[in-house]
Every structure is written in C-alpha cells, then in structure tokens.
Amino acid sequence: MLELRNPEAPASPAEAPAWTRKDLLDTDTLSNAEIQLILETAEGMREVRNRPVAKVATLRGVTVITLFYEQSTRTRASFEVAAKALGADVVNLTASGSSVEKGETLIDTIRTLEAIGADLVVMRHGKSGAPYLAARNTAAGIINGGDGTHAHPTQALLDLFTMRRHAGDLAGKRVVIVGDVLHSRVARSNLWTLLASGADVTLCGPATLVPRTLASQVSELGRCTVTTNLDDAISGADIVMALRMQKERQEKGLIPSLREYIAGYQVNARRLAKARPGALVMHPGPMNEGIEIAPDVAHGVASVIEEQVANGVAVRMAILYLMATARRP
Amino acid sequence: MTGQILIRGGRVLDPASGLDSISDVLVTNGAVEQVAANIEAPEARVIDAHGCLVTPGFVDLHTHLREPGFEQKGTIATETLAALRGGFTTICAMPNTNPAPDAADVLRSLRERIERDAQVRVFPIGCVTRGRAGKELAELSELAGGGCIALSDDGSPVANARLMRHAMELAAALRLPISEHCDDPELSHGGSMNEGSVSERLGLPGQPAAAETSAIARNIALCEATGARLHIAHVTTARGLELVADAKRRGLPITCEVTPSHLFLTEAAVFGGEAEPAYDTNAKINPPLRTEADRRALLAGINSGVIDAIATDHAPHAIEDKLCEFDEAAFGISCIETALGCVMTLVDRGELELGAAIRALTAGPASVFSFPPGTGTLVPGSTDITIVDPAARWTVDPASFASKGRNTPLGGTQLTGTVRAVIINGSVAFEMEVAGA
C-alpha cells in the first residue's frame, strides 16, 4: 500500500467509497462521491510530491502506456511524471513514427497495447469519442487525456482540485469560462464537475464560439448561463478561466480578427478588477499570452495557472492509483 | 409463368386503386387475374393471408447496391435479395458506384449485371455530372437512351447552381427527373451528425438544418426556372418539408421522399440509450438524423401525403467502415430489411396512418419516376405483391440480414410487422418460414 502520512488521504477500504470504473472517459457520469474520492486521494499525492524523495513504489509492476495521437507537452509529461512517481513502468507512444502511420486502426492499436501488457492506457486523440471506442474494445483501463472537442476529464479534475484549495466549497461560487467554449474539451468537462460542485457557471465567448443548447441541456444539473459579454459576465465572478484561442478560428471565419477577440474577450487587469476581490485566474494551457489573457494577469497575484500544472501531477497520480488498484484481484 | 396462386383472406390494400377490403387474390400465369371475395381455384397453391395485409410490391426510390466497385459492402445479388426480403419488388439503384454510370457504356454494363444477378426489378439512376464530381455534365442523353429512370449525383450534391440549372434544362427536355440530395456542402462542411444539442454535448461537428433547407430552396428556384421534374431525396427537416409543400401548392413538378430511419430515429440515437455516450457510428447517416420535432413533421408529411415516398437510402457498409472513430466512419444505414418493420411499428404506435404508410411504399413512389404501368398497384394484370403480417413482433438481428451490410443502430430493437411473402412476376419469390408450419 501507499505509505501516506496525510491523515486526510484515502481512508481504510472499509470506509472509503471504492473506485470501480475500468475507464475514466469524462467527468459527466462521475458521482459526487467519486469526485470526492479523487480529490481526497490527490491531497495525499500532493503530500507525496512534497517529500524529499517524491516517489513511492505503490504501482510497481503496473504498466502505463501513454498513447498520444495529438501533440501535447503538459498532459503527457504530467501523466508520465505521475506514473513514475508511483513506481509504474511508463511507455510513451505518439502517432507519428508508430504503426498508426502504417494505417493500423485504433482498435488494433489498443489491443496490441493490451497484449503487450498495458494495464492503463492514457490516450489523447483528435476525434471526439475515440477513447469510448478504445475502452469498449480492450480490457485495459482507458484514461481520456483529451478527445477532439469533447472531453478532458483529468484537466477538469485538476482544475477542480485547484479551485477547492483556494476557494473552498464551490457551492454558489461564480465561475466564468471564457473563450472558444464550443470547441473546448476543457470547458465541457469542467462544466460537469462545476455543476456537481454546486457552482454557477457562465460560459462566455463570441456568438460563433459558444454552445447554443448546452445551458438548457444542463438546467436540471445546476445553473449554467451563456453570454457573449465578458464585462457583464466577469462582474462579481469568483473564478475566471480563460481558454486557449486557436488562431485558425479567424481563418475559418468564426471571428473577424484576433484584434477584435482581444478587445472583447481578453482577460486583463481592467476586466479582472470587476471580479470579486481575491478572484482566481486560471488557464488550462498552453497560453497565448496577449491574446486570451494579458501577461500581467497570467503571472499576477490572482493567477493559479502554474499551480494548476503542479496539481495536475497529484491529481493524475490519484487517478492512476485508484484505477490501477481497482484492477487488482 | 404457369400455375395459380390464391392469396386467401387477407386485407387487400391498394392505395393506387383505392381498394381496401378483405378479399382473395388470384394470380394466374404470372399476373393478378382477380381480386374478389371467396374465389374458388382448386388447382391453385394457397397462401393463407388471414390477418395479413396484401399490398402491391413495394417500390424503393433510393437504394445503394454498391456494385460495381464496392463489392465488400454489398453486391447486386446480396442487396437485391435483402430488398426482396424487405418486401421491395422494384428498386432504384443509386449511382455512387465505381465506375459511376455517367455514360452509356457504364450503364450498359450495369444493366447486364442487374439482368444476371438481381432478385427484384432494378432501375438504374444515372449521374448528373461526370464521375459525380460536380464539374461537367454526364452524358445525359446517352443515359436517357440507355434506360436510366432518373438522374442523381447521389451523396454528392451538385453544389454549382449554374451547372445544376443546365442539368435541369437538359433533363426537362429528356423528361428525366433529377433526384437531388439537397445540401449546401459549405454549410454542412465536415459535419458528421445533426448540429444541435447532441452534437454540442458530444463535441462532434454538426450539419445545420439550414444546409438542407437552403439547398432545397435553391433547387426549387431552379426547378421553377427550368420546368425540370425535381425529386428531393430524403427530406429530413421540418422547414425543408414546408418548402417542398409550398412548392407543390404552387404546382411545381416536385416530389420528395423520407427514409424510414428519419421517421423512426432522432439524433439521440448517436448518443445511445445509456448515461455514457455511445458515439454510435451505425446511427451516422447523411443527411443526419434530426430532432424529434423534425421527426414529427416528417410523420405528419407521410400522413398528409405531402411526402410522396418512403425511400430506404439503404446503405450497406463493411464492418471496418463503421468500427472506427465517429468522424471517420462511413455514412449510411443498412435498412432495407428493417424498413417495413419500422413503418409498421410507427403504425402500431399510432404515429403513422396505415393507408398513408402503404401508399408511401407503393403508389406514392411509383408515381415519382416513370415506371412501367402496373408498378405499385394491385389490380388485374399486376405482377408484384407483398404480403405483410402487421402484428408479428420480431427483434432485429443484424447477423441474420441478407444484406452484406450489418450496419444498423436497430440491433436488438423489437419491431412490429414482418414481410410474410413476396410475389414477383406472379410467382412466389420469398416466403418467410413460419415456426411450426
């Protein structure tokens, strides 16, 4: 077992709700108890990370394969560090230079990894829903490391972990997510965890980049509003999360210009002054500083962006730990 | 064809002639001789049709046979057998084959294959443009002379309005209807399902309804300008149907069809029935499954008769075409063997009226293209009959399909209504094995 000194870390199996899922594909079907279990386990992992030797051997003999069909710096590195900190063996695969380039299907690739001995596969894929296809076709546990414009559950969980550490209970807190919400897997997965936590969520962006129906779809789960006016949305907000603005949105005619986007939607000091005192500024990265977020805000006192990255390792350790442990007979 | 068949005691339903009565049908020497009560024919082979519907053989305006070029998905032999088992005796083969029938020689070769392998009557549809590429017109008069029943570029809409205008001008002179998949490819660009609540939820690129409605509006304008007969393939949107209804009221030579899939399913089928999304590639079709409001409008369109035909858009695919990422999966449902079951289930639920539904499978489509006389009707001289058990419940098992395409989102779904028997050219071409018989 993991040698945890933090008394708040996972309690004895008899008391703690057990993790039973084979896969982690999104946050939408996670129960509050499951979310809580991940966050509490992550607290223990954070403590492990702060030790002089920030490494344990809990997952010795467990093989984690990262399978990235899209480029990634932080998610892949974060998972690799997390798995190694738990003593797991890690193999990193990217689509370029692999059998994927030779035309191998996703299902065949996943089955091959299973046959090689993968216990957990962390997968990033450019097509929405791809991890669901993989999960249905393998006994290995699939962790969605981001699929198309659909979901990015570990990002949402590390965001929630970071928010809780600073803002405590999120019930009734106002969270603004601003940017290309429509195409953001981060925004979608955050929506589920935030609603489950009782937060009021405002999705904000240009009319071409915000969802039309999502707010009404989730009305039974909690409060979610959609607006195109950031100045209104940010007033009194407790947490402001800026999303990465992809430059090709302009080429595709979704926004007139980045200049206009910056004028309307950049999270800057002037706008942040309208938020609640002590409001948090977050960003899932990688940032386009000067576009969706002003550099002084990105690195200012309100910013927890670097801490998000650091917490990402602890949260991913928790997820790997829970999923690998659940697989043991 | 010699010999007699006596179909005894069924409800004979022929919307074309207005016939709806419990009658016997006597088929003699390849054609219907008599429809009447209590026919005596001691020599005849008797089919007991008590409790069944006896209708004209169904007519499908929109079938994909895949041959030549895509035989791994289906062949003329397998897909026409599937059509037969689905109750369809006359089908129209869409031209998205390789090579595509865009000139006389390809059409001739296709007709030879049909002559050799087809289990039902097959009428080829020729291309509007060369290779269905939307750049230059196909050999339209050759195609007309070669015996194609209509023109279409199938799933590749003629995006260039000027080219479509000229195609319609020439088609009008040749008296050939154009069947058009109405879609603005710039608007639907990259969309793999309906744009709406489900696509937003799943993070999938969507096709907006306006991609269909704007193309329908354009093609209606061109129809009005040229006088060509325009058939709107698979209408899927409520607003698109309103445009067609308005054009019909104004007397334009316009017809339209709807698929059983769009009548039976909505975009929700992509999500699936569980809490966790299914991303069901078998529910991926083009045009996409739409909203419940659209579905209800389409049902009303059948009941009112504004929609002329239920056409299957039967689209068999190989397993690997669907067992992949949703965006990568092929469009289409193998549905010619479930079409009747879907339609009769909707009748059973009270969503479709029986007479209107049977009309949309027989007299309706028969009047859209210029089929031989007798197609889609059941009167003395008719040759093709479908016998339907409207009450039989069955569970869709794709593995039992005659079609090579097992791609259906209906696997495991219970449907009401089966095809009991099919008569083509006055002889029994298919008869369902009845348990215990």
Side-chain angles (χ1 to χ4, degrees), chain B residues 81-430:
Chain B
L81 178 61
L84 176 67
R85 289 170 56 160
F88 292 87
T89 57
T90 296
I91 65 175
C92 302
M94 274 296 185
N96 62 336
T97 51
N98 186 21
D102 57 5
D105 54 343
V106 186
L107 183 61
R108 193 179 311 116
S109 152
L110 174 62
R111 292 183 59 152
E112 284 166 9
R113 288 168 182 258
I114 289 167
E115 185 68 32
R116 189 185 67 211
D117 292 338
Q119 309 285 308
V120 299
R121 301 175 200 279
V122 179
F123 292 86
I125 294 177
C127 301
V128 176
T129 68
R130 202 176 298 277
R132 298 172 50 248
K135 302 286 184 213
E136 303 168 277
L137 292 175
E139 303 283 0
L140 301 185
S141 48
E142 270 189 30
L143 293 171
C148 73
I149 192 98
L151 300 169
S152 178
D153 272 357
D154 188 57
S156 305
V158 183
N160 182 325
R162 178 173 43 78
L163 195 64
M164 186 55 145
R165 174 199 172 177
H166 296 323
M168 283 197 192
E169 287 168 337
L170 293 169
L174 293 166
R175 300 180 182 284
L176 270 183
I178 290 183
S179 172
E180 179 69 353
H181 175 145
C182 291
D183 174 52
D184 180 332
E186 286 292 334
L187 264 181
S188 63
H189 180 74
S192 55
M193 67 172 300
N194 183 49
E195 181 182 298
S197 58
V198 181
S199 70
E200 274 187 1
R201 175 75 173 75
L202 295 179
L204 289 172
Q207 298 186 15
E212 172 172 299
T213 54
S214 62
I216 288 177
R218 183 203 81 171
N219 288 319
I220 287 173
L222 293 175
C223 166
E224 189 162 17
T226 61
R229 279 163 64 195
L230 173 64
H231 179 65
I232 312 282
H234 41 46
V235 176
T236 65
T237 59
R239 181 68 189 120
L241 185 57
E242 283 176 14
L243 291 168
V244 174
D246 178 64
K248 284 186 161 195
R249 271 195 296 275
R250 286 162 49 223
L252 298 181
I254 284 182
T255 52
C256 72
E257 68 186 34
V258 63
T259 79
S261 304
H262 292 98
L263 290 172
F264 198 74
L265 298 166
T266 68
E267 58 185 349
V270 175
F271 193 98
E274 308 293 325
E276 197 147 85
Y279 287 92
D280 188 354
T281 56
N282 283 323
K284 179 179 175 181
I285 56 176
N286 194 17
L289 297 171
R290 303 283 188 185
T291 66
E292 176 64 10
D294 290 312
R295 191 184 75 89
R296 289 186 180 280
L298 298 175
L299 291 165
I302 295 290
N303 289 334
S304 72
V306 166
I307 297 174
D308 299 271
I310 295 170
T312 64
D313 194 9
H314 173 68
H317 283 294
I319 288 168
E320 62 270 22
D321 300 326
K322 289 289 193 178
L323 197 56
C324 58
E325 297 87 331
F326 193 88
D327 277 346
E328 306 285 334
F331 288 103
I333 296 178
S334 175
C335 64
I336 207 161
E337 291 169 81
T338 54
L340 185 272
C342 287
V343 169
M344 292 308 297
T345 301
L346 292 166
V347 171
D348 189 54
R349 289 185 196 160
E351 295 190 292
L352 281 181
E353 292 160 18
L354 177 64
I358 298 299
R359 173 185 294 275
L361 289 166
T362 59
S367 64
V368 170
F369 300 156
S370 301
F371 293 104
T375 305
T377 185
L378 209 175
V379 291
S382 297
T383 56
D384 303 344
I385 299 170
T386 294
I387 302 173
V388 172
D389 182 342
R393 289 179 192 277
W394 60 291
T395 302
V396 178
D397 173 18
S400 71
F401 283 0
S403 169
K404 277 195 182 182
R406 307 290 159 84
N407 47 300
T408 172
L410 297 176
T413 302
Q414 199 178 69
L415 298 177
T416 301
T418 57
V419 175
R420 270 280 305 281
V422 178
I423 289 168
I424 298 184
N425 268 336
S427 68
V428 176
F430 166 71

Side-chain angles (χ1 to χ4, degrees), chain A residues 179-180 182-183 205-212 228 249 253-256 265:
Chain A
D180 183 1
L182 187 61
H183 301 96
T208 48
L209 298 178
V210 287
R212 289 160 184 262
T228 58
R249 302 292 175 226
L254 287 159
I255 54 168
Y265 299 99

Side-chain angles (χ1 to χ4, degrees), chain A residues 46-291:
Chain A
R46 200 167 181 277
E47 187 273 330
V48 169
R49 292 299 292 162
N50 290 333
R51 290 180 194 174
V53 178
K55 198 166 162 151
V56 291
T58 316
L59 296 191
R60 186 184 289 156
V62 171
T63 301
V64 176
I65 297 186
T66 66
L67 174 64
F68 275 58
Y69 287 78
E70 277 187 339
Q71 288 194 340
S72 159
T73 303
R74 71 198 61 220
T75 303
R76 197 195 56 71
S78 179
F79 267 110
E80 182 175 357
V81 169
K84 285 181 170 168
L86 290 168
D89 297 314
V90 185
V91 178
N92 294 311
L93 298 175
T94 53
S96 60
S98 74
S99 51
V100 173
E101 279 196 337
K102 299 174 187 169
E104 186 173 64
T105 66
L106 173 59
I107 291 174
D108 286 344
T109 301
I110 287 290
R111 286 181 177 160
T112 300
L113 299 185
E114 182 187 340
I116 286 170
D119 297 292
L120 299 174
V121 177
V122 180
M123 184 179 154
R124 168 163 294 186
H125 200 287
K127 300 295 185 189
S128 299
Y132 292 77
L133 177 71
R136 282 196 297 269
N137 287 281
T138 180
I142 300 291
I143 299 172
N144 183 1
D147 65 322
T149 55
H150 174 238
H152 195 350
T154 62
Q155 178 72 43
L157 289 162
L158 75 88
D159 288 341
L160 183 65
F161 183 82
T162 306
M163 291 179 207
R164 286 261 183 94
R165 284 191 67 81
H166 288 272
D169 184 3
L170 295 183
K173 294 272 178 13
R174 281 201 50 227
V175 181
V176 177
I177 302 177
V178 55
D180 183 1
V181 178
L182 187 61
H183 301 96
S184 173
R185 53 195 177 206
V186 174
R188 227 175 242 92
S189 285
N190 260 291
L191 179 60
W192 309 121
T193 49
L194 288 171
L195 291 175
S197 305
D200 290 357
V201 183
T202 303
L203 305 174
C204 180
T208 48
L209 298 178
V210 287
R212 289 160 184 262
T213 70
L214 209 52
S216 61
Q217 283 189 67
V218 301
S219 59
E220 286 179 13
L221 301 176
R223 295 234 323 237
C224 175
T225 50
V226 174
T227 174
T228 58
N229 187 321
L230 179 58
D231 292 290
D232 288 351
I234 210 167
S235 295
D238 296 285
I239 297 168
V240 181
M241 182 186 294
L243 301 172
R244 179 177 172 77
M245 183 63 206
Q246 293 188 1
K247 294 187 176 89
E248 67 251 31
R249 302 292 175 226
Q250 180 183 335
E251 292 151 28
K252 287 182 176 171
L254 287 159
I255 54 168
S257 67
L258 284 176
R259 189 167 147 267
E260 189 172 308
Y261 180 82
I262 291 164
Y265 299 99
Q266 186 185 72
V267 177
N268 55 30
R270 177 182 64 77
R271 290 201 167 101
L272 196 59
K274 297 178 184 175
R276 287 266 296 264
L280 302 181
V281 171
M282 304 179 73
H283 192 298
M287 289 187 282
N288 293 303
E289 289 188 30
I291 297 178

